[in-house]
Amino acid sequence: TARLLITVPYLSLVNLIVQGPVVTELIQKKYNKKNLIKHLSALLEDGPARKQQLAGYRRVKILLGNKNAAKETARRIMDKLTE
């Protein structure tokens, strides 16, 4: 059996769309109580982490536009996978 293996820089759809870190990806050993508290606490405060994440979400909205967001997301992902 053949297996298709791809490498992507991010797992989060938001990060893939922006092609940069918008949301923190706590994967495997990084996903623990200490890291969750640290990153979520930073987002609850009106500080740089929250402002940066909100700016990233605004960037996603600009990139996808208001129409055909699902199609545009799929196209961007396919483009990235076929590079």
Side-chain angles (χ1 to χ4, degrees):
T1 31
R3 294 176 77 185
L4 178 63
L5 182 62
I6 60 169
T7 303
V8 292
Y10 302 100
L11 294 178
S12 164
L13 188 55
V14 172
N15 292 347
L16 286 169
I17 292 167
V18 175
Q19 297 183 12
V22 173
V23 296
T24 302
E25 297 181 340
L26 299 176
I27 309 160
Q28 296 179 342
K29 292 181 181 179
K30 291 182 181 180
Y31 182 76
N32 58 53
K33 183 178 177 180
K34 180 182 173 184
N35 282 337
L36 280 173
I37 290 170
K38 175 185 169 187
H39 292 284
L40 291 176
S41 295
L43 295 175
L44 292 174
E45 300 170 8
D46 191 27
R50 180 181 175 88
K51 289 177 182 168
Q52 183 178 9
Q53 188 162 349
L54 290 173
Y57 286 138
R58 285 190 292 276
R59 177 92 174 116
V60 169
K61 186 175 180 181
I62 290 167
L63 288 169
L64 296 180
N66 292 326
K67 296 182 180 180
N68 299 318
K71 273 187 176 179
E72 182 62 17
T73 301
R75 184 193 64 75
R76 287 176 173 274
I77 291 170
M78 291 306 296
D79 287 349
K80 191 68 178 168
L81 293 175
T82 55
E83 283 182 349

